[in-house]
Amino acid sequence: MDEHQMDALQRRLCDDQADVVFYPVRHHSPASADLLSQLIEELKPGAVLIEGPSDFNDSINELSLEHELPIAIYSYFQLVENQSQTATHHGVYYPFCEYSPEWVAIQAARSCGAAVRFIDLPWAESFEHERTTHRYADAELRRGRYVQALCERLQVEDFDDLWDRLIESQLGLSRRDYLHRVHSLCLNIRVWEQPISLSDRQREAFMAAEIRASQARFEGPLVVVTGGFHSGALAARLSGLDCPGSTDDAQENGARRIAQRGIALTTYSYQRLDNLTGYDAGMPSPGFYEYAWRQRRDRRTFDHQPLLSRLVDALRGRKQTLSTADLIAVETSAQAIAALRGRPHVWRRDLLDAVTSCLIKDELEYGCASPFIDAVHEVLRGERRGRLAQGTRLPPLVRDIQDQLETFGLRPDQRGRQIELDLTDPEGRKQSRLLHRLRILEIRGFSRRGGTDFSQRDNLDRLWELWQLRWSPEFEASCIEASRYGTRLSTAAAACLTQQAAQTERDATAAAELLILAAQAGVETLSQSLLESLERLIHSEPRFVGATSCLEHLLFLYCFDEALGTQRLEALRTLVRETFSRSLALCESHGRPVSDPRSLLRGMRTMRETFRRLPDVLDWTAEEIGDVIRRVQSDAHKPPLLRGAAAGMLWSLGQATTESVLEDLLFFSDPEQLGDFLAGLFAVAREQVQRQPELLRAIDQLLLDYAADDFQAALPSLRLAFTSFTPREKHHMLSTLFQSLQPHLKPSAALATADAETVQEAVAIEERLFEAVKRYGLERQR
Amino acid sequence: MAKKRTRTKSASSNGDPQTLQRPPAEILFADELRALAKASAKDPKPPGWKLSPRAVLKFVLGDPSEDRPAKFVGRRAFLERCIVSLATNRGLMLIGEPGTAKSYLSELLTAAISGDSTLTIQGSAGTTEDNIRYSWNYALLVSEGPSENALVPAPLYLGMKHGKLVRFEEITRCALEIQDVLLSVLSDRVMAVAELPEAQRSLYASNGFNVIATANTRDRGVNEMSAALKRRFNFETVHPIADIQEELQLVQRETNRNLSRSQVPVTIDPELTELLVTTFRELRQGKTVDGKGIETPSTVLSTAEAVATGYAAGVHAYYYSDGQVQPLHLVRHLVGSVLKDNPDDLKTVRHYFDHVIKKRKTEPWQAFYDARDELI
């Protein structure tokens, strides 16, 4: 495309008196919205064509009900692979807020009697090549070298600032200038960012065809409201000009078919709008732009001070000290920063920077949230939540819940009832999953009264659950409330769990509990983002015991579970692997004493067990684990219990010989330490200990060398160490010991039954006896 | 008067900048500063400033249209805040991990704004009021009595008198009472010289005076600042370089420059620089390049440390082996950078090798991993 062609296209685009006026918007931009409503009022077009889902055109009147914004159109469908018959669910939002150009266009069109039509390709037909879940995102505009170069030239940080600088904070910007700037910006982005994606081309072809059809259908001029990125291509297609990506190529239709399609209004919130990042990111800080929009509508010059005072209230509400002097400093800085950036008034980023600069007296860690900045963002975000007008069709989630309750015969009634589910029965499992999902979403009227406890796992003989179902007046309200998490029960439950995971910090045990919750609600709720946040939790767990208890849960779910369907589940492999690595790392760095030393042993046993059961899942070989554990074992700062367990682990993994274990034993011959060391060793290498009589002999030898006091000192911890064996095991060990010491004696004779106290008494008497002998000089001369 | 002094100083300061081991920014970039001053002569500027705020920004961040590279790698909004703080009645406090170029940034800012980066107070446990305000020439004091002639000005005095920026390095290393000397100066902008006769007793700050302090977040616990003083500063955190490409270029350039300066004819391969920088970044951020979380050691792994490690590896390779820097050399000197006082850091690094580096099957990562036994 040469310069000449570009000029021609640009001229066509900026012509606001043509039959078809192409109005470029940035979605959710108040400046776009304001100038657009002026254009529609002046032009009185026959129809306003908007980039929106054309499959919603039949219900477009629903938009004129008395909704409270923000709301969104949600388009969803189920995709079935022809070959495997597996179904996946997909959905996308088209959010509207009060200052969205699309919304304002609908209002303006209605007040001047123009028709309104959505002209975009239904999402189900173009989604294959897309990654967004939010149709009014700025992905096309944000990326790319052109924007980067322009930011550098204009000395701004990113696309948001660039837009504010060029359009949003220019309050006196005329429509002519607006059209000129936005068209030229978007056209250049398009030219620089070739090739244009297939989905964009498909959509533009569809939109162009819709515009042509509307030209025939409606009298008078048309206003085409689309994202600026598409305007150029549409104009080129309609007036035979040249523009990158304005040709089509043959469409292929894959081996999949679309089943169950739907589109409906649902509630939305500023919080969701602002939290979107990456491909889904749009204009940030909706609260700020809503404020700017209102000021603009009232034709007032922009005044940031009410915002600043709202900010001060929010911060003081959070018990932050904020003196008048501080406020003066913020105000001065904001003005100065705005001046440095060449702006006549303080704008979003200036306010943020002034607060950061003047009020924060601490280090801001990179990439970490600061509560202070969070509060500022919260004020700029606003807390508006949408509400659908009476008479709107119910959001898809509500219908999904009702359908599923109907299918499984679980609809609650006013009298209430209890049902018992058998989790080994597939039907019972399905019902249980449904109920668990409702419980996660806090839908009123369903409570779990009893059943198998999968996080304690003390009794897995019987897999069952008892639920109480009773209709409550808040049932429907809570369903609508839950719509914000999604439109299908499974995805909504997954989103809710993901949010819970995101609100937890550094706690692997909590991650494991969430995982069990998700497993109970069915493996479909184990979404990728949930797994990622769980992984993050596990990674930040600081305690060895926490990490290994999580590993224990995972081992159960991955190896032994029979009811939840998580056995050998592909998605869990990464978690198992990561938790194991984390446990190993924490084992090496473990230093603090723990309140319950037994939990250390339990952790070590879990680790050994995981390796033994799942060597194919872990990315560690026995030698590599041996290297790490050997370092633990030889670290003099570690407690003897852990070192004993480490020795046991090496032994049972075949990474240490019996001789070396015997040598280690000598290290711990101190009566203070022997018991602890043995407790660790026995707990982890239980079988090896029984198979090797040498070890018992060596222990016996050590004990014989002890003076009586030493023996008494060592006794309690020794006794504790041996409690990990069953009586039968103890009997077996002792008889082998006797056999090897005194082969001529019958074991049963040697094992006279006597309780511990009698033995202790005997030892004491013996001790006194020998002392008396010594005192009288009667001991035998050697 | 003030103008005269600066001019004579820069002209007479031991002659040729080439012979200086490290010329200050205002000498090193004298031409650029002159050009910027000329270009921005008509722009509004705060009283007492040599350049307009926009020209200062251009000086620090470079200007692609004039082919001047950035002198400091950082976000634009951050620098805008710093410069604006200096134009208001609050001082600027740069805090951050060691080795994030805080002092260098303060040098650049003072050179651009006041044309003089030498009014520097070095904070330490031994800093006294004399080092900050003024002291006396005792011979003159005894013979003439207290007079301006007998007074030996320290940086703060000079900065106030001539309307220049004063740098206070490592302010939190000083004792609290010494830090608080700044209190009245920053709020009332006046320094009392009690010994002098009535008419000369108060030194009022000229336009253009302000303070840039730097503090190290690792040391801040030693002498926490008073709330009163905090209030008089705007705090800005200097972050490690966010963009890996920029850090790579910086490390590559600085390492090779250090090597050639110490006459070691060795250069470090870009491949190895990438390995070094990636290792430092991952350990610093607690996150691998593919987004997995890892443990971070307690020592600071700044860009400056990466340069030092690369430099040491180069020198090592030149004197003790065939002059080719190998991953082995990097591992050896990594130990020196990471292991400062906390023995647990070594475990962290070892785990990082076992867990992250092991999986990277390409060279030079494999060689790097194979050298892990050097981590002792």
Side-chain angles (χ1 to χ4, degrees):
Chain A
M1 193 175 183
D2 61 27
E3 234 170 82
H4 185 68
Q5 287 168 317
M6 251 179 107
D7 278 349
L9 185 56
Q10 174 78 13
R11 263 199 310 280
R12 167 66 190 87
L13 283 169
C14 292
D15 181 1
D16 60 358
Q17 302 302 322
D19 299 344
V20 181
V21 179
F22 294 95
Y23 188 87
V25 297
R26 180 181 179 198
H27 305 293
H28 310 300
S29 151
S32 288
D34 189 33
L35 293 168
L36 176 57
S37 80
Q38 287 173 26
L39 172 77
I40 294 175
E41 273 160 33
E42 270 173 41
L43 205 62
K44 305 234 180 312
V48 177
L49 309 179
I50 298 171
E51 176 191 339
S54 55
D55 43 350
F56 195 73
N57 275 335
D58 297 337
S59 343
I60 207 156
N61 285 333
E62 274 186 34
L63 285 175
S64 46
L65 297 171
E66 296 284 310
H67 302 294
E68 230 174 81
L69 270 60
I71 56 172
I73 297 178
Y74 185 75
S75 169
Y76 59 98
F77 64 90
Q78 202 180 358
L79 192 71
V80 183
E81 302 274 344
N82 281 344
Q83 212 157 29
S84 57
Q85 289 297 312
T86 46
T88 43
H89 301 279
H90 303 268
V92 72
Y93 290 96
Y94 298 79
F96 299 102
C97 42
E98 204 183 306
Y99 56 85
S100 299
E102 293 83 1
W103 182 258
V104 170
I106 295 172
Q107 310 301 320
R110 195 172 304 128
S111 67
C112 72
V116 176
R117 280 187 69 78
F118 286 141
I119 53 166
D120 197 359
L121 187 64
W123 185 66
E125 284 152 47
S126 71
F127 98 104
E128 289 215 27
H129 315 281
E130 297 209 27
R131 279 175 279 192
T132 75
T133 57
H134 168 61
R135 241 321 159 54
Y136 289 152
D138 295 330
E140 306 93 358
L141 303 178
R142 271 168 201 280
R143 65 184 168 218
R145 296 165 301 140
Y146 180 73
V147 169
Q148 218 177 339
L150 198 59
C151 286
E152 221 163 82
R153 178 80 65 84
L154 287 176
Q155 308 200 331
V156 292
E157 275 217 353
D158 53 18
F159 178 73
D160 291 326
D161 281 356
L162 181 71
W163 178 266
D164 279 353
R165 175 74 167 270
L166 286 177
I167 311 287
E168 212 65 51
S169 64
Q170 307 276 340
L171 297 181
L173 193 70
S174 71
R175 188 164 73 223
R176 232 179 93 83
D177 280 346
Y178 172 85
L179 288 176
H180 187 77
R181 283 183 188 190
V182 180
H183 277 313
S184 127
L185 173 73
C186 294
L187 207 53
N188 274 304
I189 292 177
R190 213 175 158 97
V191 172
W192 280 49
E193 301 311 323
Q194 298 189 53
I196 306 299
S197 75
L198 179 62
S199 81
D200 278 331
R201 278 178 290 152
Q202 282 178 2
R203 290 171 59 194
E204 282 154 7
F206 185 88
M207 288 196 261
E210 287 280 303
I211 298 170
R212 278 198 203 98
S214 303
Q215 272 178 315
R217 191 171 149 193
F218 298 105
E219 291 283 312
L222 299 178
V223 175
V224 178
V225 181
T226 62
F229 187 73
H230 303 300
S231 298
L234 292 179
R237 278 171 190 270
L238 283 170
S239 30
L241 291 166
D242 197 23
C243 178
S246 56
T247 50
D248 303 316
D249 35 28
Q251 262 190 38
E252 41 175 314
N253 226 332
R256 302 192 277 190
R257 79 190 152 76
I258 288 164
Q260 220 193 41
R261 226 165 113 156
I263 192 160
L265 284 179
T266 180
T267 55
Y268 215 71
S269 65
Y270 276 179
Q271 195 186 0
R272 272 184 94 170
L273 207 55
D274 200 31
N275 281 350
L276 297 167
T277 49
Y279 288 108
D280 288 340
M283 259 172 101
S285 307
F288 173 83
Y289 288 108
E290 186 197 303
Y291 175 79
W293 158 251
R294 299 204 165 175
Q295 298 252 311
R296 227 188 145 95
R297 283 251 99 164
D298 300 344
R299 302 283 165 244
R300 272 185 287 178
T301 48
F302 185 79
D303 177 13
H304 66 280
Q305 267 161 356
L307 272 181
L308 189 57
S309 58
R310 231 184 278 170
L311 198 68
V312 173
D313 286 344
L315 288 171
R316 287 192 177 145
R318 291 186 175 208
K319 303 258 187 302
Q320 296 284 342
T321 24
L322 210 68
S323 65
T324 315
D326 285 333
L327 268 184
I328 294 172
V330 172
E331 177 66 29
T332 327
S333 291
Q335 303 267 11
I337 292 175
L340 177 64
R341 291 172 181 166
R343 265 201 272 268
H345 44 252
V346 174
W347 201 248
R348 185 180 85 95
R349 179 80 78 165
D350 310 335
L351 207 56
L352 270 171
D353 278 333
V355 171
T356 317
S357 167
C358 299
L359 300 183
I360 296 185
K361 302 285 175 190
D362 270 309
E363 182 189 11
L364 276 179
E365 248 181 84
Y366 191 74
C368 280
S370 139
F372 216 98
I373 300 267
D374 282 352
V376 179
H377 277 297
E378 231 163 74
V379 169
L380 294 183
R381 171 192 300 155
E383 31 192 46
R384 208 172 276 279
R385 275 180 173 194
R387 184 184 289 261
L388 293 177
Q390 288 284 329
T392 321
R393 281 181 300 157
L394 284 175
L397 177 73
V398 184
R399 265 178 294 144
D400 192 35
I401 291 176
Q402 284 169 345
D403 289 349
Q404 293 207 32
L405 286 175
E406 204 65 59
T407 318
F408 291 107
L410 293 176
R411 183 169 274 286
D413 51 30
Q414 299 215 349
R415 270 174 300 141
R417 62 193 156 123
Q418 286 204 336
I419 54 165
E420 195 181 314
L421 302 175
D422 176 9
L423 296 185
T424 50
D425 167 38
E427 197 58 25
R429 271 210 294 271
K430 279 185 193 158
Q431 292 180 328
S432 153
R433 281 175 192 175
L434 170 60
L435 292 171
H436 273 289
R437 286 175 195 178
L438 295 175
R439 195 162 77 124
I440 290 170
L441 289 173
E442 296 179 5
I443 306 292
R444 302 299 145 77
F446 302 87
S447 56
R448 189 173 182 269
R449 286 295 158 89
T452 314
D453 186 346
F454 284 99
S455 56
Q456 291 293 330
R457 296 189 290 277
D458 35 15
N459 183 7
L460 294 178
D461 289 348
R462 185 165 157 239
L463 301 170
W464 64 290
E465 268 173 349
L466 185 67
W467 289 83
Q468 167 87 31
L469 275 55
R470 183 199 293 273
W471 185 85
S472 113
E474 291 154 1
F475 169 69
E476 203 146 279
S478 59
C479 286
I480 294 177
E481 173 94 340
S483 294
R484 68 203 145 107
Y485 288 116
T487 50
R488 293 189 43 85
L489 192 50
S490 58
T491 47
C496 183
L497 286 175
T498 311
Q499 191 175 323
Q500 281 180 33
Q503 284 164 353
T504 319
E505 299 257 345
R506 301 158 65 90
D507 190 348
T509 323
E513 276 157 16
L514 283 173
L515 188 65
I516 290 173
L517 264 183
Q520 286 177 319
V523 287
E524 301 91 338
T525 52
L526 277 173
S527 65
Q528 196 54 37
S529 50
L530 176 61
L531 288 171
E532 273 164 23
S533 16
L534 294 183
E535 207 180 313
R536 184 187 54 79
L537 279 178
I538 290 166
H539 264 303
S540 52
E541 166 67 59
R543 296 165 311 131
F544 173 67
V545 175
T548 50
S549 87
C550 173
L551 187 63
E552 209 178 324
H553 289 302
L554 273 167
L555 189 63
F556 164 76
L557 289 176
Y558 191 78
C559 279
F560 305 115
D561 154 66
E562 285 168 357
L564 306 176
T566 54
Q567 205 178 98
R568 301 269 150 196
L569 187 69
E570 199 58 31
L572 291 185
R573 289 173 74 96
T574 330
L575 280 189
V576 173
R577 197 179 308 141
E578 294 303 320
T579 318
F580 183 81
S581 299
R582 184 72 197 153
S583 307
L584 203 55
L586 287 170
C587 177
E588 200 183 349
S589 57
H590 175 84
R592 274 165 298 152
V594 287
S595 56
D596 176 16
R598 304 244 125 193
S599 57
L600 276 183
L601 299 182
R602 197 166 159 165
M604 290 297 267
R605 266 207 304 270
T606 313
M607 268 176 27
R608 196 220 30 213
E609 204 56 32
T610 314
F611 180 72
R612 204 181 266 173
R613 301 259 170 201
L614 308 168
D616 53 315
V617 174
L618 306 180
D619 47 2
W620 289 81
T621 63
E623 287 75 32
E624 285 160 357
I625 298 177
D627 284 346
V628 177
I629 297 296
R630 210 165 287 127
R631 287 202 291 268
V632 175
Q633 201 261 322
S634 53
D635 183 348
H637 297 290
K638 298 257 188 283
L641 188 74
L642 189 62
R643 296 179 65 183
M649 185 131 156
L650 288 174
W651 202 11
S652 67
L653 290 180
Q655 293 298 307
T657 57
T658 313
E659 288 74 43
S660 66
V661 175
L662 292 180
E663 271 171 39
D664 290 337
L665 182 68
L666 291 180
F667 270 120
F668 293 92
S669 54
D670 180 1
E672 297 282 319
Q673 297 191 340
L674 183 66
D676 282 350
F677 177 79
L678 288 179
L681 186 68
F682 291 169
V684 181
R686 188 176 182 142
E687 284 139 46
Q688 280 74 10
V689 171
Q690 293 173 55
R691 259 184 268 130
Q692 301 294 341
E694 291 98 319
L695 179 76
L696 279 181
R697 262 210 307 274
I699 298 173
D700 188 54
Q701 195 55 49
L702 267 182
L703 295 181
L704 285 178
D705 290 348
Y706 277 169
D709 285 352
D710 288 347
F711 181 68
Q712 294 283 347
L715 198 54
S717 61
L718 275 174
R719 197 179 280 156
L720 197 66
F722 277 94
T723 48
S724 59
F725 295 107
T726 60
R728 179 192 276 279
E729 284 170 337
K730 277 187 231 170
H731 174 83
H732 173 71
M733 282 160 72
L734 282 185
S735 43
T736 30
L737 180 64
F738 268 102
Q739 212 111 60
S740 65
L741 288 176
Q742 288 162 314
H744 55 279
L745 257 183
K746 269 195 186 161
S748 55
L751 288 174
T753 44
D755 59 14
E757 272 172 42
T758 322
V759 173
Q760 229 165 350
E761 217 171 296
V763 171
I765 293 175
E766 207 176 55
E767 183 72 3
R768 279 205 298 280
L769 187 69
F770 282 130
E771 231 163 67
V773 168
K774 200 173 163 190
R775 198 162 55 235
Y776 291 101
L778 291 177
E779 55 200 320
R780 203 190 316 168
Q781 297 294 323
R782 300 219 167 169
Chain B
M1 170 72 188
K3 269 187 188 159
K4 216 174 186 178
R5 280 181 80 121
T6 30
R7 209 172 291 149
T8 44
K9 203 187 82 198
S10 48
S12 70
S13 61
N14 27 354
D16 185 13
Q18 298 297 325
T19 62
L20 300 182
Q21 201 173 23
R22 186 187 176 284
E26 63 271 23
I27 295 183
L28 196 60
F29 303 114
D31 296 339
E32 193 180 333
L33 284 171
R34 219 171 295 128
L36 279 169
K38 209 171 143 197
S40 72
K42 292 206 183 93
D43 296 345
K45 38 174 114 60
W49 283 33
K50 294 241 186 290
L51 295 182
S52 73
R54 285 197 196 195
V56 177
L57 204 58
K58 265 192 197 156
F59 175 69
V60 179
L61 282 185
D63 189 348
S65 62
E66 309 233 343
D67 205 26
R68 284 200 206 105
K71 295 178 188 61
F72 171 85
V73 184
R75 295 185 56 161
R76 178 171 296 275
F78 156 78
L79 273 162
E80 285 172 343
R81 291 199 301 262
C82 291
I83 295 169
V84 164
S85 295
L86 288 172
T88 63
N89 59 356
R90 285 192 181 192
L92 171 65
M93 167 75 74
L94 297 171
I95 55 175
E97 303 261 276
T100 41
K102 295 180 294 293
S103 301
Y104 184 53
L105 176 61
S106 90
E107 181 184 343
L108 289 175
L109 287 174
T110 44
I113 294 173
S114 307
D116 184 358
S117 66
T118 57
L119 296 180
T120 309
I121 304 161
Q122 180 61 51
S124 73
T127 307
T128 60
E129 272 198 59
D130 291 356
N131 305 132
I132 299 176
R133 285 148 52 101
Y134 56 87
S135 55
W136 297 99
N137 177 335
Y138 286 99
L140 280 175
L141 186 68
V142 170
S143 66
E144 292 177 10
S147 70
E148 264 193 271
N149 209 13
L151 184 139
V152 181
L156 194 65
Y157 187 97
L158 286 173
M160 291 179 74
K161 186 156 183 188
H162 304 303
K164 288 183 179 179
L165 292 181
V166 176
R167 297 164 58 194
F168 201 141
E169 298 289 312
E170 303 289 354
I171 189 169
T172 45
R173 302 281 305 132
C174 298
L176 263 180
E177 45 275 37
I178 301 296
Q179 295 176 16
D180 284 348
V181 169
L182 289 179
L183 275 179
S184 64
V185 171
L186 279 177
S187 53
D188 304 336
R189 306 270 156 168
V190 62
M191 185 195 287
V193 188
E195 296 89 338
L196 290 180
E198 184 67 40
Q200 299 159 333
R201 191 167 289 167
S202 300
L203 172 69
Y204 293 99
S206 306
N207 276 333
F209 164 75
N210 211 335
V211 178
I212 304 183
T214 61
N216 190 319
T217 41
R218 297 282 163 132
D219 291 339
R220 255 187 89 202
V222 183
N223 287 310
E224 185 62 71
M225 284 174 82
S226 64
L229 190 58
K230 271 188 185 174
R231 205 175 74 68
R232 287 165 173 82
F233 276 105
N234 279 350
F235 280 54
E236 289 295 344
T237 311
V238 186
H239 292 297
I241 301 174
D243 182 61
I244 184 160
Q245 287 307 327
E246 279 176 321
E247 190 174 0
L248 268 177
Q249 283 166 11
L250 189 78
V251 170
Q252 178 84 33
R253 195 174 63 221
E254 287 298 307
T255 309
N256 287 337
R257 202 170 72 184
N258 281 343
L259 284 170
S260 76
R261 209 187 274 159
S262 49
Q263 298 177 354
V264 174
V266 168
T267 52
I268 181 164
D269 266 2
E271 232 182 9
L272 285 187
T273 315
E274 190 180 339
L275 177 139
L276 183 67
V277 171
T278 312
T279 306
F280 268 70
R281 284 177 77 88
E282 290 185 329
L283 285 171
R284 182 197 308 150
Q285 299 173 342
K287 205 167 81 179
T288 64
V289 275
D290 42 6
K292 293 232 172 79
I294 49 170
E295 202 97 342
T296 53
S298 62
T299 29
V300 184
L301 291 164
S302 63
T303 312
E305 283 286 352
V307 172
T309 307
Y311 179 30
V315 174
H316 188 128
Y318 178 60
Y319 287 115
Y320 295 118
S321 41
D322 58 355
Q324 189 69 38
V325 184
Q326 302 290 348
L328 174 76
H329 300 126
L330 291 179
V331 178
R332 276 193 191 152
H333 292 281
L334 186 69
V335 180
S337 323
V338 175
L339 200 64
K340 294 266 155 71
D341 53 355
N342 187 349
D344 282 345
D345 288 348
L346 195 59
K347 289 180 199 160
T348 315
V349 175
R350 244 193 246 128
H351 184 258
Y352 170 72
F353 268 75
D354 282 347
H355 192 59
V356 180
I357 296 186
K358 193 184 84 189
K359 287 189 201 152
R360 300 192 173 142
K361 296 293 181 203
T362 52
E363 288 302 332
W365 287 103
Q366 262 312 300
F368 197 48
Y369 177 67
D370 291 339
R372 69 189 181 285
D373 291 340
E374 300 287 327
L375 294 170
I376 310 165

